[in-house]
Amino acid sequence: QCRVCRRAGTKLYLKGDRCFTPKCAIVKRNYAPGVHGAKKGGRPARLTPYAIQLKEKQKAKFYYGVSEKQFRNYFEKASSKVGNTSEFMLTMLETRLDSTVYRLGWAWSRRDARQIVSHGEILVNGRKLNIPSYQVRVGDVLTVHPTRMKNKHFTEVLPGLDKHTVPEWLHGEKGTFQGKVLSLPVRPDDTGAIFDMKPIIEFYSR
């Protein structure tokens, strides 16, 4: 996972809290992995338009932890709608159930959130859902299954909920595992995206 961040040239926050410490690979070795990555001096390679598009696509794909097939499906669904394809695609990625759980601060990373959801530990409107790709909707209420509250993971996460910053499109009750979807994220500011959607749309529109 650290190699993925080094290849992307930026933090993708794949390892949770570790990404905010000096142990982060980007802090320790801020160059591409491999025998040629550590070469110093000289000018960085000039990327072609295709390489720029591919790099942004890979960055977004790993950021949300989805497969190539899933990512392309999101593009096709977004492009079939009338309006801004970039916004539609970003909204669908961000409102995945695993991503929403991560945004609420209930998991250290999206990978952890995906595992939590897959194990049936999250309730949506009182109903257990174990599908990480489920799209949450405005008004949905998310909670942790009552029988899982005392699991080691949740007891470790709970103290940090008071300090966790929840995005404006979500509401999280301080000190509890209860959240609600207030609106849909449509702008990069709503999602904290560290990639540019325009080259990604251009990549799939070729």
Side-chain angles (χ1 to χ4, degrees):
Q1 291 179 350
C2 290
R3 288 173 66 88
V4 171
C5 292
R6 290 173 60 200
R7 177 64 62 189
T10 187
K11 293 185 181 184
L12 300 178
Y13 304 99
L14 304 180
K15 285 198 170 182
D17 283 353
R18 182 187 176 93
C19 299
F20 298 95
T21 70
K23 293 182 179 180
C24 175
I26 291 294
V27 175
K28 295 172 66 177
R29 293 177 290 177
N30 191 13
Y31 51 83
V35 66
H36 300 294
K39 285 186 176 179
K40 296 181 180 179
R43 299 178 181 178
R46 181 178 295 178
L47 298 179
T48 64
Y50 173 80
I52 293 173
Q53 295 168 3
L54 178 62
K55 186 174 183 179
E56 289 301 303
K57 188 264 292 185
Q58 294 293 85
K59 195 187 298 183
K61 191 177 74 171
F62 286 117
Y63 184 67
Y64 285 104
V66 298
S67 67
E68 177 63 32
K69 183 178 180 180
Q70 287 176 309
F71 204 74
R72 177 174 284 278
N73 285 341
Y74 282 124
F75 166 75
E76 291 177 353
K77 289 179 181 178
S79 60
S80 67
K81 298 182 179 182
V82 177
N84 191 317
T85 301
S86 295
E87 290 184 356
F88 289 141
M89 189 170 177
L90 192 59
T91 297
M92 286 189 286
L93 287 166
E94 192 67 14
T95 54
R96 285 171 54 96
L97 182 55
D98 55 357
S99 183
T100 306
V101 169
Y102 170 69
R103 287 296 186 193
L104 286 168
W106 299 356
W108 305 120
S109 65
R110 282 190 173 83
R111 186 179 185 181
D112 288 338
R114 187 159 53 252
Q115 185 177 39
I116 289 169
V117 174
S118 297
H119 290 174
E121 298 179 350
I122 301 298
L123 304 180
V124 178
N125 300 326
R127 184 166 61 98
K128 183 174 74 173
L129 284 175
N130 59 0
I131 305 172
S133 61
Y134 172 82
Q135 301 284 160
V136 298
R137 303 171 183 175
V138 176
D140 280 352
V141 175
L142 280 67
T143 56
V144 172
H145 198 291
T147 62
R148 311 296 174 91
M149 288 284 193
K150 294 183 180 180
N151 282 10
K152 181 181 178 181
H153 171 82
F154 293 114
T155 57
E156 291 179 349
V157 168
L158 185 59
L161 291 183
D162 288 337
K163 299 179 181 179
H164 180 73
T165 302
V166 178
E168 293 183 359
W169 61 279
L170 291 172
H171 172 71
E173 292 287 345
K174 294 294 183 181
T176 66
F177 291 107
Q178 182 161 338
K180 186 175 183 178
V181 182
L182 302 178
S183 61
L184 294 180
V186 294
R187 302 167 301 172
D189 292 345
D190 296 329
T191 63
I194 56 174
F195 50 84
D196 185 0
M197 286 298 300
K198 184 178 178 181
I200 297 173
I201 300 302
E202 291 173 349
F203 177 86
Y204 283 116
S205 300
R206 289 177 298 113

